Amino acid sequence: EPGILFWDTAQNMTPSDVYSDLGFGSVSTNPCGEIILSPYDSCRLMLVNLTSFVTNPWSATSEFNYGEFARKVQKAQRLMDDMIDLEIEQVDKILRKIENDREPEDVKQIERNLWLKVKQQATTGRRTGLGITGLGDMLAMLGISYGSEESVETTEEIYKWLALNSYESSIILAKERGSFPAWEFSKEENHPFISRIVQELLPHRQEEYRIYGRRNIANTTTAPAGSVSVLTQTTSGVEPAFMLHYR
C-alpha cells in the first residue's frame, strides 16, 4: 500500500461479470485485495514460481523457458479446479455439523444459509485465482532492470502466457469434466477479454470452447504472496528486491 484499482476496467474485463444476473457481479476485492469477488465467493489462490523457469540464471545466456512455463500453468489450473472440489467437501462437512448442533433452529438457519450460499457460488462458478510470484527475482536472473521498458515488455509476455495457458486448460477441463454450470456462450460471445483470448490467441480451441465452454468462471489473479515468498525465498508477488540486505 498505497495502491490503485481501476474499478470500471476491472468490471468490464472480469469474465464473471457477464453473469451478474446470477450473482457473479464483482462487488469488491477480498480483504487483502488479492482477488476481485462476487458475493459469497471464495478467495482460492495458487501461484507459479517464475524463478523455476530461468535457464542459465545470472549470465549473459540466461533465458526464460516459456514452453515449460506453459506446461506448468496448464497443470496448475487443473490443481486449482481440484481445489474447488476439496472446498465443497469441506463446506459439506460444515453443513453436516450445523445439522447436528444443539442450537435452536432459528440460530442454525442463519449459519446454514451462509454456507449454502458459499457452496452455491463455488459449485456454479468454480472461480480460481492462479497467479505468479518471484517476478522481481526472475527479471534480475535475466539481467533485466526492474521498471525498465524491457521489464515491462517481459512482464506483459509472462502474463500473456499465464492467461492463455490457464484459459486453454479451462477449456480442456470443460471438455473432460463439464463447464461451470452458469456458462452460456451467448453471454460471453462479445466479451472484450474472453473474445480476445479465445478468438485471437487460441484459434485452435475455438470450436471446443463453443461446444464445451470453460470450466471456470474466472481464472487468474496476483496475490502479494507474502508467506509463500518466504517459503520459496523469492521476492513477493510482482515486487522488486526492496534491499539487498537489511537489519
Side-chain angles (χ1 to χ4, degrees):
E1 302 298 344
I4 185 169
L5 173 62
F6 296 98
W7 190 248
D8 54 345
T9 302
Q11 288 186 309
N12 289 335
M13 300 299 284
T14 302
S16 60
D17 278 70
V18 296
Y19 300 96
S20 295
D21 59 325
L22 299 177
F24 289 98
S26 299
V27 294
S28 180
T29 67
N30 73 328
C32 296
E34 294 165 332
I35 185 169
I36 292 173
L37 292 172
S38 51
Y40 302 102
D41 216 342
S42 299
C43 174
R44 307 178 190 98
L45 303 174
M46 188 177 293
L47 53 83
V48 180
N49 183 353
L50 295 180
T51 64
S52 304
F53 306 99
V54 179
T55 57
N56 302 317
W58 315 105
S59 72
T61 59
S62 61
E63 290 182 324
F64 189 83
N65 189 335
Y66 282 96
E68 186 61 22
F69 178 60
R71 287 186 285 274
K72 290 297 190 295
V73 168
Q74 292 212 16
K75 289 183 177 180
Q77 185 62 35
R78 285 179 167 270
L79 284 173
M80 287 236 67
D81 192 63
D82 293 339
M83 182 191 294
I84 299 164
D85 293 327
L86 292 173
E87 176 184 316
I88 293 170
E89 285 182 13
Q90 298 308 310
V91 172
D92 283 337
K93 289 180 182 179
I94 293 171
L95 287 167
R96 286 195 295 271
K97 177 189 177 297
I98 293 170
E99 295 305 319
N100 294 325
D101 282 346
R102 297 181 179 180
E103 283 85 357
E105 181 61 29
D106 59 332
V107 174
K108 292 201 293 185
Q109 188 61 39
I110 295 172
E111 190 172 8
R112 183 189 295 116
N113 286 344
L114 169 64
W115 288 106
L116 285 172
K117 288 176 180 177
V118 171
K119 181 180 178 180
Q120 175 69 18
Q121 290 295 90
T123 305
T124 308
R126 305 189 67 85
R127 183 192 299 270
T128 64
L130 182 62
I132 56 98
T133 194
L135 176 68
D137 284 328
M138 180 212 72
L139 292 171
M141 293 163 80
L142 293 172
I144 300 173
S145 297
Y146 192 98
S148 65
E149 286 296 323
E150 186 179 6
S151 76
V152 173
E153 292 171 1
T154 301
T155 302
E156 288 180 348
E157 193 69 13
I158 292 291
Y159 273 97
K160 176 182 176 181
W161 282 69
L162 175 71
L164 287 179
N165 286 283
S166 170
Y167 278 87
E168 181 169 16
S169 184
S170 191
I171 293 169
I172 295 170
L173 283 165
K175 184 177 180 180
E176 295 176 5
R177 304 177 179 180
S179 65
F180 63 93
W183 182 77
E184 189 177 325
F185 176 72
S186 60
K187 287 189 174 184
E188 298 190 358
E189 189 172 8
N190 297 312
H191 190 275
F193 180 77
I194 293 296
S195 60
R196 189 167 66 199
I197 290 284
V198 179
Q199 295 175 20
E200 297 179 24
L201 301 173
L202 293 176
H204 58 294
R205 295 293 179 189
Q206 283 186 23
E207 190 62 25
E208 290 176 331
Y209 165 69
R210 291 191 187 97
I211 296 171
Y212 303 106
R214 301 184 293 113
R215 179 67 172 168
N216 315 102
I217 198 167
N219 291 28
T220 60
T221 193
T222 297
S227 56
V228 176
S229 68
V230 172
L231 292 171
T232 56
Q233 293 293 288
T234 59
T235 54
S236 179
V238 298
E239 296 297 318
F242 177 65
M243 296 177 72
L244 294 181
H245 59 86
Y246 58 92
R247 187 175 294 179

